[in-house]
Structures are given as C-alpha cells and as structure tokens.
Amino acid sequence: MIYTSPAIEAAIEALSSLPTIGRKSAQRMALHLLRQPPEHVEKLASALTTMRAKVQYCATCFNFSEEDICPICASPKRNHRVICVVEEPSDVFAIERSGDYSGVYHVLHGLMNPLEGVSAGDLKVKELIRRLDGEMDEIILALSPTIDGEVTAQYIARLLKPIGIRVTRIARGVPVGSELEFVDDATIARALQSRVTA
Ligand SMILES: [Zn+2]
C-alpha cells in the first residue's frame, strides 16, 4: 500500500532498512510515531543523531566509544596483559554483563568467511597484532563456535604462535552454532573460566 503522504512513505522506507524490521513493522512504527506528540518524536530523532555523532571506535580495542580510548582500555583496574578477542561490540556487552572478566578486549568487527570473500584484511586483525608487546600474558579467543568463528580463531592462533603469547579459546557450555551475544551470563562466565589452549 502506498500512502497519500510521501513523508510517511519515506519514514517507512527508512525504518524498514533496520535489521529484523520488515515493511509491516516499519509501517506500524511510523503510524505509532504519527500519533505521538511531536516532542517525543523529536527526542527519538535527536537521541539517534547524537549517538551517531558522538560514538566512534576506540583507537585501541575498536569497541564503540565516545572517547578516543574507551573506558575499559583507559581503566587502571583492568588487566591489560589479557586481551579477549570478540567478533562484535555486542559480545563485549555480553561478557561485561557476565561480570566475570577483568581483562581488556579487541573487537574484530566480523569473522573470516572465505566463501563470501571476507578475509583477515577486512577485520581488525593487524590492529590486534600491533597491540601486542612482550608484556602480554594471554589472548583469549571468544569467537562464536560457528564455521566462520572456527576459521578465524585458527587463523589468529596460527598468527600468534611465533610471537609466543599464550592463546586460549573459551570452552564448553556455548552451544554449537550459537552467537555469543545470545548466550546467558552464567554460561559465558563458565566458558571463560574453563578455557583451553588454542
Ligand atoms: Zn578500548
């Protein structure tokens, strides 16, 4: 159905570009927003614009941050000799929520996928290598136990071997094929505790 208002049509089109939002949901959202007081809609729009303008990548770990260096990387309370390598910023949220990890992170922003032409060069892998110095105790590979996660973990483990840093992978408890961000806190905490050498 095409609306009599090009403005409504444009809003629906913009909303339906969001992940998991089909045209029907976008339509429902647009009509809902039309029934709200203008200041409510203004608040929503401004929250999105402000977020986009303020948030960038941390120059060290590539998590989202409002500063050049994120609060985790900047914190003296964290153990900077242990780096947990994850696929997406949402994995950092998941592991932080489990409350069981005191090291720092490195966000790859994806996983290798040879079939789709995603190679290590498309990820923040060389940025990880650049961070490493003689002071490192351990690199924990906390990647999804999917095929892409396996390929990426093996690649990074091979790359780190000559550097002589201990490389581990999170262990049991994470169901095969699951995405880390959907795993519950207790399972993440358990998987982090019982990690194995990569
Ligand atoms: Zn950081």
Side-chain angles (χ1 to χ4, degrees), residues 58 60-62 70 73:
C58 166
T60 303
C61 72
F62 295 89
C70 78
C73 288

Side-chain angles (χ1 to χ4, degrees), residues 15-63:
L15 288 166
S16 63
S17 73
L18 296 170
T20 76
I21 306 297
R23 186 166 166 95
K24 240 187 190 155
S25 303
Q27 216 164 274
R28 214 173 305 131
M29 283 179 191
L31 298 185
H32 170 81
L33 291 171
L34 274 177
R35 282 185 222 106
Q36 301 296 307
E39 58 273 21
H40 282 208
V41 182
E42 200 66 56
K43 212 170 142 190
L44 171 67
S46 120
L48 294 174
T49 313
T50 306
M51 175 186 77
R52 192 60 192 88
K54 281 196 172 172
V55 178
Q56 45 173 349
Y57 289 154
C58 166
T60 303
C61 72
F62 295 89
N63 192 8

Side-chain angles (χ1 to χ4, degrees), residues 87-88 106-113 118-128 143 148 152 155-156:
E87 176 187 349
E88 295 291 350
H106 191 86
V107 183
L108 294 176
H109 290 279
L111 293 174
M112 289 165 68
N113 184 328
V118 185
S119 68
D122 300 311
L123 312 174
K124 302 290 180 195
V125 173
K126 54 179 183 313
E127 289 81 355
L128 170 66
L143 304 174
D148 295 351
T152 311
Y155 177 85
I156 294 176

